[in-house]
Amino acid sequence: MIVKGAILLVAVVCALPTGGVLAGCYDRTANGSQHRFVLDGGEALDTRTGLTWKRCSLGRGWDGRQCAGETAFDTLDQAVEAAAAAGAGWRVPSGPELESIVDPSCGRPVVDESVFPDISADEEGTAKYWTTNEVGLANLVYYFDFMTGQADGHSRGFRLAVRLVRG
């Protein structure tokens, strides 16, 4: 009997979506449309936090329909420099800011792909994005994995993706 229950649990977990948008993602309406973010080309205004996000990861640009180009995987210092070079107040987000767009009800990835369409897993099955918050005295900086929603820390020299924010 335990084996049947374990097999059923494995079957249910394996059947969970790994793409697309789930009904509860970002407080979707009954007809399935999201209303939390106001989309304006390559930018998304979060009406809950007042922050404006780049819809495409650093290194990519909005071509009018989708993110084009290649995601840049930068050290934290490179990411901060690239954000400053982008001008218009763009920056690498803090941990709480980046966490604010994580919604496990979206499935995998844990963000709405209609808002942030370029999140994809790397060869390790992760999608790690820098924040600017240090992890205590460990000389590490937090990142969020957009495939799981989990936070962890890396040294500043690791190369991770970046989602720029302003506001």
Side-chain angles (χ1 to χ4, degrees):
M1 187 63 166
I2 292 175
V3 172
K4 285 183 184 178
I7 292 171
L8 178 60
L9 177 61
V10 168
V12 169
V13 169
C14 290
L16 288 175
T18 58
V21 179
L22 299 179
C25 183
Y26 291 153
D27 306 320
R28 288 188 171 275
T29 60
N31 69 2
S33 63
Q34 71 83 21
H35 58 277
R36 176 177 166 183
F37 290 88
V38 177
L39 305 181
D40 182 15
E43 299 179 5
L45 170 64
D46 186 340
T47 60
R48 185 178 297 165
T49 65
L51 296 170
T52 300
W53 295 90
K54 286 279 193 182
R55 294 181 67 194
C56 303
S57 302
L58 187 64
R60 303 187 82 180
W62 188 254
D63 72 2
R65 294 179 336 185
Q66 63 188 2
C67 297
E70 295 294 322
T71 299
F73 293 92
D74 290 334
T75 67
L76 181 57
D77 294 335
Q78 290 170 330
V80 169
E81 288 175 16
W90 293 111
R91 58 187 170 74
V92 178
S94 69
E97 288 171 337
L98 196 60
E99 184 177 27
S100 75
I101 64 172
V102 170
D103 184 349
S105 69
C106 293
R108 188 174 165 96
V110 294
V111 296
D112 188 332
E113 292 180 283
S114 71
V115 179
F116 304 107
D118 70 337
I119 305 292
S120 60
D122 61 16
E123 57 278 349
E124 296 174 353
T126 64
K128 299 174 182 176
Y129 280 72
W130 279 120
T131 78
T132 56
N133 287 82
E134 294 185 0
V135 180
L137 300 175
N139 200 27
L140 300 174
V141 180
Y142 280 108
Y143 68 84
F144 277 91
D145 180 351
F146 279 144
M147 297 312 289
T148 65
Q150 299 298 307
D152 203 347
H154 265 311
S155 67
R156 300 173 80 87
F158 271 82
R159 294 184 178 277
L160 305 179
V162 181
R163 172 90 37 212
L164 296 181
V165 68
R166 70 176 174 208

